Amino acid sequence: MAENIPAPTVPSKHAVVTGASSGIGAATVRKLRADGWHVVAVARRADRLEQLAKETGALAFAADVTSDDDVADLAAFVAERGGLDTLVNIAGGARGADPMATAVNDDWEWMFQVNVLGTMKMVRAFLPALRAHGHGTILNLTSSAALAPYEGGGGYNAAKFGQHALTGALRLEEAEHNIRVIEVVPGLVRTDEFALNRLGGDPDAAAKVYDGVAEPLVAEDVADVVGYAVSLPHHINLDQIVVRPVAQAANHKLIRKL
């Protein structure tokens, strides 16, 4: 008589979240863990990751998404722990607000590395596992900077336009593998680091970005949207979700009550 061996189970609600040391990435880890997900939290800053892991029960993995070696090590780490069904690419950011006439090479190169190439490297590394799973999800966090250019935003616009474009191409390429590809497109979000990092660490300049805006989005708002999108039944694909505060009717129209 044949031995009754149970079929292997396919992991579900197993996510990798990048950019997890602060802001939207950290809030997304908290949201998914609260909703019962298994999460591998990824970022460069190991100390912050360890603190988040203690708080939430997520697994921490320190890695730079622009490093081929780090990404390969991360993929092996995840595979050893049962794999994943969902990849959430939050890592990204902006540096500088200079017009094209005074564009800084290092700022532009960094933005392309982390927003575009970092996303590509993460997707490339995890596509085999997501295809094998049969019901994989990839969510890329872009920005409303990907939808409309603005003065002083050339480098960030270009990087986020690039990330937006690769997300669209990925959706077309991977539909036949039953991988849904979601793009979340935030507008103005007040976090501890985004504007500060963009504006060279100047706290006064960073604070002015949000001056007079009664209720800008916060990281937890965007994390709620991410959590909702990846938790829907798999046959539902939210191709693109633009999320802004009510005060931001468009990139160029922000209501400030000074």
Side-chain angles (χ1 to χ4, degrees), residues 12-25:
S12 62
K13 298 187 78 169
H14 283 62
V16 171
V17 178
T18 69
S21 61
S22 66
I24 296 169

Side-chain angles (χ1 to χ4, degrees), residues 7 27 29 47 89 119 130 162 164 171 179:
V29 172
D47 55 338
N89 288 309
T119 299
L130 292 168
H164 161 74
R171 186 179 300 113
I179 293 176

Side-chain angles (χ1 to χ4, degrees), residues 139-158:
L139 185 147
N140 292 338
L141 188 89
T142 62
S143 166
S144 61
L147 306 180
Y150 54 89
E151 292 166 297
Y156 190 52
N157 289 139

